[in-house]
Amino acid sequence: MSAGLGRNYLDYNASAPLRPEARAMVIEALDAANPSSVHSEGRAARAFVENARRALADLLACNPGEVTFTSGASEATATALTPHWLLGGNPVDHARLAVIETDHAAMLAGGHFNPEAVTMLPVDSAGRVKIEVLREWIEACSSAGPAILAFSLANSETGVLQDIEAIATEIEGHDIRLVVDAVQVVGRMPLSLASCRADAVIISSHKIGGPKGVGALVLRDTGTRPYPLIPGGGQEKGRRSGTEPVAAIAGFGAAARAASFDLRNDNGAMAAERDAMEAHLRGALPDLVVLGAAAPRLPNTSAIAYPGLKAETAQIGLDLGGFAVSAGSACSSGKIGRSHVVAALSRAGLNVDADHGAIRVSIGRETSKDALSSFADAYIRLAMRARESRTETSGRAA
């Protein structure tokens, strides 16, 4: 992905630029045969798929057999969020589902659960789930039968990390399956299937620099899994039918190998550059709000709001100035609307205007200090204009 001449791409949480390693692997695998065929050409195609599966397993420190390829994170989410699972190979129906109110739209949709069976758990002003409300839901589930708790480990708009250890500890000993959307975390922070303590983990290719149109559902125990969303030919060991997109999967694997290398050589520079940018902004704009600043966050993400500056206005102004940023999650066909994340944080007590919203800056290891410094200067100019306009309006009203 090229930001174009004179432009700075700061929207990695929407989609990371395609890694050169992934592009090369996609091209190499484009002419691959059907990986289910038993002839030499089919076996060569199968090798692309299985090599990628091993790369993802290495990235998540799990067994390759626990990785099931899907068309993306949305499909993986829809697959996991079904009442119908196999537990130890035996069919079990789940009566309830809980999600977190700031999660991705695919999670909030509730999958195949009836809407009345879905509980949206509120967050505090930092964006972390309220543990006392989670406990109430767990208690209510004790008499209702098996349940599923599903949430995003990192919020896509603010980068806020949920306390996976505390949440997993709360549900321990209860008949509750844990589904974790790790789309924004994988490749940016070390993460293992064991540390998630989840029954199923959702990941996506294009968030780590692989091609779009492929993701995975990673299972802690293949005997404990959701019924397949797409039945049919029995590919992916019967967990997801349909001929595997060999080139996309191969590119996903190449991106996973590159991400593993990045994590092994991480020196904390990305978080330091993000923090320096926020300090630059706060120095000029004392009223700036950094959403989720009171909680642990992804090292690459900053969501900011300034009184009187609408997110839409800021995004358009920054785009004209050569900066690609987001006014929320990129899942609404290009629409700019009221962020449900900002609204939830506002309800929880964060001093932020839910109607004006916030913009998200999300960076990668390739992002330069100069790009972030230039972005901060451009945002400060927009905020100053908004402040002057607000002052003029107040003066006329007086």
Side-chain angles (χ1 to χ4, degrees):
M1 181 191 303
S2 172
L5 185 64
R7 290 185 60 80
N8 294 286
Y9 185 77
L10 306 175
D11 201 15
Y12 276 65
N13 284 12
S15 191
L18 187 66
R19 292 175 182 266
E21 304 94 330
R23 179 183 288 108
M25 187 58 72
V26 167
I27 292 171
E28 182 180 344
L30 274 175
D31 289 332
N34 189 318
S36 294
S37 298
V38 297
H39 46 59
S40 295
E41 291 82 357
R43 294 196 301 276
R46 174 55 56 188
F48 280 118
V49 173
E50 298 311 318
N51 286 339
R53 203 186 308 275
R54 283 191 290 274
L56 289 171
D58 289 343
L59 184 58
L60 284 170
C62 65
N63 294 320
E66 294 162 346
V67 177
T68 300
F69 288 113
T70 66
S71 65
S74 291
E75 184 196 321
T77 301
T79 300
L81 300 191
T82 175
H84 313 300
W85 279 53
L86 293 172
L87 268 61
N90 299 313
V92 171
D93 285 343
H94 295 79
R96 296 189 179 190
L97 167 69
V99 296
I100 296 177
E101 64 175 343
T102 53
D103 276 344
H104 191 278
M107 197 72 80
L108 297 181
H112 299 280
F113 280 84
N114 291 325
E116 59 270 18
V118 180
T119 298
M120 288 197 187
L121 302 172
V123 296
D124 60 23
S125 60
R128 301 183 108 185
V129 67
K130 293 183 176 180
I131 293 294
E132 65 274 16
V133 180
L134 173 61
R135 287 173 183 157
E136 292 172 3
W137 177 78
I138 293 170
E139 181 62 28
C141 289
S142 61
S143 60
I148 294 175
L149 172 61
F151 63 90
S152 298
L153 182 52
N155 185 269
S156 64
E157 294 188 28
T158 66
V160 167
L161 296 160
Q162 296 297 334
D163 189 342
I164 183 70
E165 187 68 26
I167 293 171
T169 298
E170 290 293 335
I171 67 171
E172 192 171 348
H174 296 274
D175 197 3
I176 298 174
R177 250 47 63 201
L178 183 57
V179 175
V180 171
D181 171 359
V183 162
Q184 298 292 353
V185 176
V186 168
R188 293 177 182 145
M189 298 177 66
L191 183 72
S192 69
L193 187 59
S195 66
C196 269
R197 296 172 64 180
D199 295 285
V201 174
I202 296 159
I203 58 177
S204 175
S205 167
H206 72 103
K207 304 297 187 181
I208 63 171
K212 300 171 185 66
V214 61
L217 183 65
V218 185
L219 303 169
R220 180 171 62 178
D221 174 7
T222 56
T224 297
R225 59 183 173 86
Y227 280 25
L229 177 67
I230 303 177
Q235 290 89 347
E236 294 298 289
K237 297 185 177 178
R239 301 196 289 266
R240 198 278 188 185
S241 292
T243 300
E244 294 94 340
V246 177
I249 289 174
F252 192 5
R257 283 188 288 272
S260 294
F261 177 84
D262 286 345
L263 288 171
R264 289 193 300 271
N265 294 277
D266 184 28
N267 61 2
M270 195 158 51
E273 290 175 9
R274 187 272 313 272
D275 292 346
M277 177 200 70
E278 291 180 356
H280 183 169
L281 289 166
R282 281 177 160 148
L285 305 169
D287 294 337
L288 184 83
V289 178
V290 179
L291 282 69
R297 290 179 290 159
L298 291 172
N300 79 316
T301 306
S302 180
I304 56 176
Y306 186 74
L309 179 58
K310 292 185 177 180
E312 180 178 0
T313 301
Q315 184 178 19
I316 293 171
L318 290 163
D319 187 35
L320 292 172
F323 300 94
V325 298
S326 171
S329 177
C331 59
S332 302
S333 301
K335 299 175 185 176
I336 301 176
R338 191 172 188 260
S339 165
H340 71 287
V341 176
V342 178
L345 296 180
S346 178
R347 287 194 301 271
L350 185 69
N351 185 23
V352 60
D353 189 328
D355 290 323
H356 281 194
I359 66 162
R360 177 188 68 195
V361 178
S362 51
I363 64 177
R365 288 177 171 81
E366 305 85 359
T367 307
S368 69
K369 293 179 182 179
D370 287 344
L372 289 178
S373 180
S374 297
F375 159 79
D377 289 337
Y379 186 86
I380 289 167
R381 289 192 293 271
L382 291 169
M384 293 293 194
R385 285 182 209 152
R387 183 166 65 190
E388 291 167 4
S389 177
R390 194 168 71 250
T391 301
E392 291 173 2
T393 301
S394 298
R396 287 195 297 269

